[in-house]
Amino acid sequence: MDVKKVLFISQEIDPYLPASEFSTFAKDLAQGLQEKGAEVRSFMPKYGAINERRNQLHEVIRLSGLNIIIDDCDHPLIIKVATLQPSRLQVYFIDNDDYFYRHSPGKMETVDWAELNDERSIFFVRGTVETVKKLRWEADIVQCIGWITALTPLYLKKIYNEDPSFRNSKIVYSLTKDGFEGNLDPRMVDKLKQEGFTDEQLASLTAGDTPVDFVKLNKIAIDNADAIIESTDSVLPELVEYAKASGKPFLPYTPSDDPSAAYTEFYRSL
């Protein structure tokens, strides 16, 4: 397929968070895709650790203001944007005081306030999708990186599948070694059913009658994605095997100084 527009949804992007293997990879990939001619729009959560003044974030009033209902509670959606230099890549930030700190108290919200990670993920995914709809932007590729993005394929395939912004999109999910410990809220499945999902659609989350953990969250992403990429080394073998067994296009991990070249070729094959 012709790859002109890439919606890049990432758990973190350098330099907005301290540099790490994950955040630097995400930045290099997004910038590399844009340098190869794709129009890229990037989205990430607006964590409390992000310095808005230093990174020149500003609120986009015309995109903000929507209330997202999760578990019968309204949560206002706030959209902020910054431009990543020198590539001039636009990065949008999904913000809300119920899920993201105003200022960082030290640890990341996903660690220090982990009991809300299920709703935080739902809010981030829905906030991203609703913002893209408002932008009237049609993505050829939706690239999801990081566990907080794992519900994106499910929402796009089951809830937003007829929306003009996504009905022709190919959804690519990246497997990474960066996960979380423990389980998500035991009521996560009930909250997703309130969103309109069926038992059958949520089967990967309920399999084995055990709480939703990092493995289950990745499996439901694999179930609904069009293609899978092993983006880092040391990915859990169980997830790699599950992805391969799905029969979907799979790009194995290969170290590279320019991952965007292999990703662009992979996208074109879909």
Side-chain angles (χ1 to χ4, degrees):
M1 68 178 295
D2 193 14
V3 181
K4 295 181 179 179
K5 296 182 178 180
V6 178
L7 175 59
F8 191 85
I9 311 175
S10 181
Q11 191 160 303
E12 53 189 81
I13 300 173
D14 176 35
Y16 301 108
L17 291 175
S20 66
E21 182 180 355
F22 187 113
S23 65
T24 301
F25 166 78
K27 177 193 70 176
D28 292 345
L29 176 57
Q31 290 189 143
L33 293 171
Q34 182 157 285
E35 288 166 0
K36 286 178 172 54
E39 181 183 344
V40 181
R41 298 282 180 94
S42 296
F43 282 76
M44 68 174 286
K46 181 7 195 102
Y47 302 105
I50 296 172
N51 187 307
E52 295 190 35
R53 179 175 297 181
R54 182 191 308 137
N55 292 293
Q56 299 183 19
L57 272 66
H58 63 270
E59 184 176 351
V60 187
I61 302 297
R62 68 183 179 88
L63 298 177
S64 301
L66 176 71
N67 276 10
I68 293 180
I69 301 173
I70 300 175
D71 200 22
D72 292 328
C73 293
D74 285 358
H75 304 279
L77 174 63
I78 301 169
I79 306 299
K80 296 175 181 175
V81 69
T83 302
L84 183 60
Q85 301 295 348
S87 63
R88 299 196 61 77
L89 177 73
Q90 280 196 308
V91 182
Y92 292 85
F93 298 84
I94 301 299
D95 198 6
N96 172 268
D97 289 345
D98 298 328
Y99 299 117
F100 300 104
Y101 293 129
R102 261 182 207 276
H103 303 286
S104 175
K107 292 183 179 179
M108 289 282 288
E109 294 91 323
T110 51
V111 175
D112 195 46
W113 203 3
E115 64 271 18
L116 287 180
N117 276 346
D118 65 318
E119 294 189 14
R120 188 172 287 117
S121 176
I122 292 171
F123 183 85
F124 173 63
V125 169
R126 286 191 55 195
T128 297
V129 173
E130 292 294 341
T131 302
V132 174
K133 285 176 57 180
K134 278 192 174 183
L135 289 169
R136 299 183 183 278
W137 200 72
E138 300 178 20
D140 299 311
I141 296 291
V142 179
Q143 173 67 68
C144 308
I145 303 180
W147 64 261
I148 206 168
T149 75
L151 293 174
T152 307
L154 175 68
Y155 272 92
L156 294 186
K157 288 295 186 180
K158 308 304 182 186
I159 302 294
Y160 295 95
N161 54 310
E162 294 299 323
D163 190 276
S165 291
F166 303 105
R167 62 188 172 198
N168 296 318
S169 303
K170 293 295 184 182
I171 307 165
V172 182
Y173 183 72
S174 282
L175 299 176
T176 73
K177 61 185 175 185
D178 297 85
F180 59 87
E181 296 182 358
N183 304 313
L184 298 179
D185 190 318
R187 292 193 58 250
M188 181 180 184
V189 171
D190 292 333
K191 295 172 189 177
L192 287 171
K193 286 181 181 178
Q194 292 177 33
E195 301 277 291
F197 296 110
T198 66
D199 288 328
E200 182 179 4
Q201 292 167 347
L202 300 175
S204 293
L205 297 182
T206 58
D209 197 30
T210 57
V212 179
D213 59 8
F214 176 70
V215 170
K216 284 190 172 185
L217 197 59
N218 276 268
K219 284 184 176 180
I220 202 164
I222 293 168
D223 290 345
N224 291 280
D226 293 302
I228 316 298
I229 296 178
E230 187 180 5
S231 288
T232 69
D233 61 357
S234 304
V235 173
L236 289 174
E238 179 181 356
L239 293 177
V240 174
E241 292 306 313
Y242 190 85
K244 290 179 177 179
S246 72
K248 298 176 180 182
F250 179 81
L251 181 65
Y253 173 68
T254 304
S256 173
D257 292 333
D258 181 19
S260 62
Y263 281 57
T264 299
E265 183 178 348
F266 185 64
Y267 296 158
R268 288 173 177 162
S269 71
L270 300 179

